[in-house]
Amino acid sequence: MNPLRNLARHPVRTALALAGIAVTTAMLLDMVLLAGGIERSFAQLLLGRGYQVRVSPRGTLPFDTEATIPGARGIAATMRRDPAVEAVAPIVGSSIHARRGDSLVTLFGYGIDPAAQALYQVTAGADLAPGDSAGLLLSAPAARVLAAAIGDTVVLVSRLDPQMAVAGSSRTVVVRGVVRWLYDARDQASVGTLVPVMQELAAFRAEDRVSAFAVRVTGDADSAAARLRAALPSLEINSVGAMVLRFRERLTYFRQLSLILGTISLGVTVLLVGTLLTITVNERRGEIATLRAIGVARGTIVRAVMLEGGALTTLGGGLGVLLGLATAEQLDRILTSFPGLPAAISFFVPDARSLALAAAVLVITGIVAGAYPAWLAARAPIAETLRTEAT
Amino acid sequence: MPLLVATALTKDYPMNGEVVHALRGVSLTVAPGDYVAIVGPSGCGKSTLLQLLGGIDTPSAGSVALEGTRLETLGDSALTRLRLTRLGFVFQRFHLLPVLSAAENVELPMAEAGLPRDARRARARELLRYVGLEGRAGHRATQLSGGEMQRVAIARALANRPALLLADEPTGELDAATGRGILDLFRRLNDDGATIVVVTHDDRLAGEAGRVIHMLDGHIVDETRGAGR
Ligand SMILES: Nc1ncnc2c1ncn2[C@@H]1O[C@H](COP(=O)(O)OP(=O)(O)O)[C@@H](O)[C@H]1O
Ligand SMILES: [Mg+2]
C-alpha cells in the first residue's frame, strides 16, 4: 500500500503520467505568474527609486506622447511648497544625435537632476555633479554605439528638423559614468545630461519645458497627488498606486484570458490524474477485494489511493514547477524584448503565494481525483469481485 | 459454547433473469478446535458457504453467528473489523500484495488493526518461522514459489490471532508435493489449537480433517469422520 511502490509497478505509464502532469502544471503555473506578474513588476518598476507620484501633461502618461510641460521651474517650486513633498525630479526626454566619425547616430536623451532623479542607477564611473554641464551619462548600449568609454569626449547634436537640412546646435560633453536607465527597452542607446543641457538640445529651453516630473512624498501618496492636482489643475498628476490600478484595468482582459487558460490546464490535470487512477484502481479490483475480505476498512483503501494520487501530483507538480519557471524565463525574455517596452518589466513574476496556490490546487486535485475511483472499488461486493477477478 | 453457528443458510444468485440456488438451507455448527473439511462436486455451493461463514457475503436467508455475534446485525465497518480481528482467510490463489515483501504482507492486517510497528515486526518474524519461511521475509511476493506464497498467505491469515481460519481450496493451485506441505501445516496448526474450516477437492486434505462435511447441490448431505479431531 506504499504509494511510491504502487506507482513503480508500471514505470512507463507512471513516467508518462508524470510528464503530462508536469506539462500541465507548468502551464498552470505560468498562467498564475502571468496573471499577476506584469502588474506587480510594473509597480516595482515605478516605485524602484521611491518616487510615488508622477506628473505629466494633461491627459497623458509620462512619455506616452511627445507633449511637454512648460514653465518647469515654477511648477517644481509650487510642488515643493506642499509640506508632504520631499523631492521633485524633473525629467526631459527627447530624441537627439551624436557624432560618430562622419556620421550621426540617433540616441535617446534624458535630462535629469542628479540630486533628485528617479530614472537611473550608476553602474560604472561617477554620477553627474550638480552644475556639471559638460558631463554625460551613457547606457551600456549607448557606450557600444558611440564606442565611448568613461573620460571620452562625445559631441551631441540637437534634434534635426527633417524639413530643414541644417545641422542643429551641438555640444561637446565628457562621459562621466555608465548607468542603467530603469525605463529603457533592451538595447536602447540612451544618454543623460543635466536638465538645461538636454532642454537646449531638444529645443525646450526657451519655455523651460520638461517631459514629466517624478515626485517623492511622505505619507499617503494619493492625498498628496490630490493636493498637487488641485494646485496645478493643468497637469496630469497621479500616484503610482492609481496608475497601477488603471494599468490593472487595462489588463483585465489579459488576466481573464490567463485565468481561463489556467483553469483549462488544471482541468486537464484533473482528467489525467483521474484517468490514470481509475485505470490503476480497476486493475487492482481483485487486490482491493482481497484487502476488504481480510478486514481492511474502506477508508484505509480510499486513503491509500488518495495518497497515491497525492504522490503522483506532488512528483509531477514538482517537475512542473521547475519546467514552468524555466519556460517563464524564456517567455519573459521574448516578451520583454518587444520594442518600446522597459526591459525591467517582467511578465512572469514568481511570488510565494502563486506558487503555493498552484501547488495546493494540484496536490488537492490528485488527492480528490483518486478518491472517487477508490471509493467505488472499496464499495464493490467482495465475494463477487473475488470470484470474477481471481488472479 | 460453539464458536460458529450457521442456521438455515440460503443463497440465491440472480442469473440472466433466472435464480441460481447456490445454497438451499444449510445449517452447521463449529466448536473451538474443530478441523472441518467441506467437500463436494464443483458448483455445489462450497465457496458460497465459506463466504457466508466468513462475512464476506450475506445470505439470502438464515443467519451466521460467530462467538455469539450475529453477523447480519453488523454494519459494514463492524463486520470488516470482525473479519480483521476474528477471522483468517486463505484463498486458492493466495492473493498476496505483489508490491509488498513476505513480511510486509504478514504485517498488513496487524497494521490495519493498529498494532505498533515493533510488535508487528516481531510477530511477522515469528509467523514466518512457524510456516517455515524465516529466510524469505524480505522477498517480494512475486519472487516466491506457489507453495511459499500460500505459506505467507497462511501466516497473514494468522496475524491477528483469529478465532477461526477459513480456507478455500488452499492446495488447488499447488502440485501434490507442495500441497502436502500445506496439509502438514494445517495439521500442525490444528494440533496447536487452531479452529479450521477448509473447502477442498483434495481427498488427502479431507482425510486429515476431523469432520468431513459432504455437500451436494446446495445441501449438506452427510458428515463423516476423518483422521483428525
Ligand atoms: N456471483 C455469482 N453469480 C451467479 N452465480 C453464482 C455466483 N457465485 C456462485 N454462483 C453459482 O452458485 C453455485 C455455487 O457456486 P460455488 O459456491 O462457487 O461452488 P463451489 O465452490 O462448490 O464450486 C454455482 O452454480 C455457481 O455458478
Ligand atoms: Mg469453489
Side-chain angles (χ1 to χ4, degrees), chain A residues 152-165:
Chain A
D152 287 356
T153 297
V154 174
V155 178
L156 298 179
V157 178
S158 70
R159 174 141 116 133
L160 302 178
D161 187 336
Q163 303 293 304
M164 309 196 301

Side-chain angles (χ1 to χ4, degrees), chain A residues 384 387, chain B residues 13-15 20 22 41-49 168 199:
Chain A
E384 170 138 21
R387 190 184 169 82
Chain B
Y13 293 110
M15 183 76 143
V20 178
S42 185
C44 71
K46 305 183 295 294
S47 295
T48 301
L49 175 59
D168 193 348
V199 163

Side-chain angles (χ1 to χ4, degrees), chain A residues 74-367:
Chain A
I75 290 169
T78 305
M79 291 195 285
R80 278 195 203 97
R81 240 170 274 137
D82 188 296
V85 171
E86 286 187 332
V88 176
I91 302 165
V92 174
S94 171
S95 152
I96 58 162
H97 305 277
R99 222 165 245 143
R100 192 189 166 182
D102 294 339
S103 59
L104 289 180
V105 293
T106 304
L107 302 170
F108 190 78
Y110 289 109
I112 50 88
D113 174 0
Q117 61 87 9
L119 283 185
Y120 62 89
Q121 270 163 349
V122 178
T123 55
D127 200 352
L128 297 184
D132 179 10
S133 298
L136 183 72
L137 300 173
L138 292 178
S139 69
R144 268 198 305 280
V145 167
L146 297 171
I150 293 163
D152 287 356
T153 297
V154 174
V155 178
L156 298 179
V157 178
S158 70
R159 174 141 116 133
L160 302 178
D161 187 336
Q163 303 293 304
M164 309 196 301
V166 284
S169 64
S170 68
R171 179 124 192 173
T172 303
V173 287
V174 178
V175 178
R176 308 283 187 220
V178 176
V179 303
R180 194 168 71 77
W181 301 102
L182 302 184
Y183 298 91
D184 271 11
R186 177 166 303 164
D187 294 326
Q188 184 174 330
S190 299
V191 300
T193 66
L194 294 187
V195 168
V197 176
M198 196 54 66
Q199 279 178 323
E200 198 173 299
L201 289 166
F204 289 176
R205 188 74 192 264
E207 293 173 291
D208 188 20
R209 288 180 174 276
V210 296
S211 306
F213 292 97
V215 181
R216 199 171 68 220
V217 298
T218 54
D220 178 39
D222 283 311
S223 48
R227 282 196 309 277
L228 294 177
R229 211 159 29 233
L232 297 162
S234 66
L235 297 177
E236 185 76 34
I237 303 180
N238 291 299
S239 73
V240 166
M243 289 166 71
V244 169
L245 269 184
R246 210 177 308 167
F247 186 60
R248 188 195 182 107
E249 274 158 28
R250 282 200 204 170
L251 285 177
T252 306
Y253 182 68
F254 194 69
R255 266 206 314 277
Q256 278 170 351
L257 193 74
S258 57
L259 187 72
I260 290 168
L261 291 177
T263 309
I264 290 174
S265 65
L266 187 63
V268 172
T269 312
V270 172
L271 293 177
L272 194 67
V273 175
T275 305
L276 183 79
L277 291 175
T278 304
I279 292 172
T280 307
V281 165
N282 277 333
E283 269 176 3
R284 275 188 246 154
R285 283 166 55 90
E287 211 169 273
I288 290 170
T290 304
L291 290 171
R292 296 281 295 125
I294 67 172
V296 174
R298 283 177 184 161
T300 308
I301 287 161
V302 172
R303 259 199 311 282
V305 175
M306 286 168 88
L307 212 61
E308 202 169 315
L312 197 67
T313 44
T314 305
L315 284 176
L319 293 174
V321 168
L322 297 181
L323 184 66
L325 291 178
T327 319
E329 207 182 300
Q330 278 302 320
L331 289 174
D332 215 25
R333 200 164 296 158
I334 295 169
L335 290 173
T336 49
S337 59
F338 263 52
L341 204 67
I345 283 268
S346 185
F347 284 80
F348 301 86
V349 182
D351 76 321
R353 247 192 66 216
S354 312
L355 285 175
L357 181 71
V361 165
L362 196 74
V363 171
I364 290 171
T365 295
I367 291 170

